[in-house]
Amino acid sequence: MSSGFTLWFTGLSGAGKTTISSALAPILMERQLRVEVLDGDVIRDNLSTRLGFSKEDRDENVRRIGWLCELLTRNGIATLAAAISPYREARFEVRQRVGAAREGSFVEVFCDAPLDVLKDRDPKGLYKRALAGEIKHFTGVDDPYERPRDPDVHLDTAGTSIEHCVGQVLAALEERDLIPKT
Ligand code: ADP
């Protein structure tokens, strides 16, 4: 059995967390890894149904996803978690927990794109609604996002292609000996 790890995608809404993690999943499967994707939206529809968007609830949501990551990582699964996870402290807690299961197995991937680009992209029309005041507590509009200070992988999802970003993550996993080099 290969050893598990957690790829933790953080970033603003529309920054590419779902896109990059779902592009990576089949590539990792092809490399014979057992893979699970924990997408923030899916988690909120299932595990975190009653949670809202206060700091407390966001942190609780991250803690729940982190706990799942810990279990899966411990059991040899390549776990891809995609959640805005706006607060540094909560992300750090997950790093500690997953890292305790296996040293170096937590890899924070920062999907970084300027707000202006995201407002233009806005595939789901969420920024438009948030800016119009129809959605409250929207990260980057009227709710904070604490940028990672020292992410393991820093993706420029506005300036580089999806393929390039996927390649960057794969390279980081190879560098850390979390997946075999091709
Ligand atoms: P998030 O999961 O962070 O909310 P999504 O993955 O749902 O973001 O949306 C990102 C959008 O940006 C998609 O429409 C995607 O096609 C587009 N996009 C353009 N370039 C990139 C890139 N380099 N990385 C990720 N997404 C990109």
Side-chain angles (χ1 to χ4, degrees):
M1 187 176 78
S2 59
S3 301
F5 58 82
T6 289
L7 277 175
W8 186 277
F9 293 84
T10 174
L12 295 171
S13 177
K17 302 177 295 298
T18 300
T19 303
I20 306 290
S21 55
S22 47
L24 267 164
I27 298 174
L28 296 175
M29 284 176 195
E30 262 171 37
R31 295 196 188 191
Q32 312 305 321
L33 277 85
R34 291 193 297 153
V35 179
E36 192 58 72
V37 179
L38 305 174
D39 193 80
D41 293 338
V42 180
I43 294 279
R44 278 193 176 271
D45 285 344
N46 292 278
L47 185 67
S48 294
T49 35
R50 284 161 204 263
L51 296 181
F53 294 90
S54 64
K55 179 176 189 303
E56 234 177 29
D57 279 9
R58 286 177 184 275
D59 284 350
E60 177 58 26
N61 182 43
V62 166
R63 214 168 286 128
R64 290 180 190 182
I65 304 172
W67 179 71
L68 273 179
C69 288
E70 185 189 342
L71 295 187
L72 292 168
T73 297
R74 200 163 70 200
N75 282 285
I77 311 294
T79 311
L80 281 57
I84 295 174
S85 47
Y87 296 106
R88 215 171 270 137
E89 178 78 29
R91 294 194 302 263
F92 183 70
E93 248 179 58
V94 179
R95 175 187 291 277
Q96 301 284 88
R97 287 191 67 159
V98 175
R102 183 182 172 215
E103 177 78 24
S105 62
F106 181 88
V107 181
E108 186 179 56
V109 182
F110 179 24
C111 296
D112 189 7
L115 200 54
D116 285 345
V117 172
L118 299 180
K119 284 180 193 161
D120 283 345
R121 265 187 201 166
D122 207 13
K124 299 178 208 157
L126 295 175
Y127 282 97
K128 193 165 169 242
R129 290 180 56 205
L131 289 163
E134 290 167 24
I135 309 175
K136 302 276 182 221
H137 302 293
F138 196 82
T139 306
V141 175
D142 61 350
D143 225 48
Y145 179 77
E146 298 175 356
R147 292 167 61 88
R149 293 202 178 103
D150 190 20
D152 300 292
V153 188
H154 191 157
L155 304 178
D156 171 9
T157 57
T160 58
S161 68
I162 294 169
E163 293 70 28
H164 181 87
C165 294
V166 167
Q168 246 182 288
V169 179
L170 288 171
L173 290 173
E174 288 180 357
E175 237 170 65
R176 286 165 172 72
D177 286 328
L178 291 169
I179 58 171
K181 292 191 172 64
T182 48

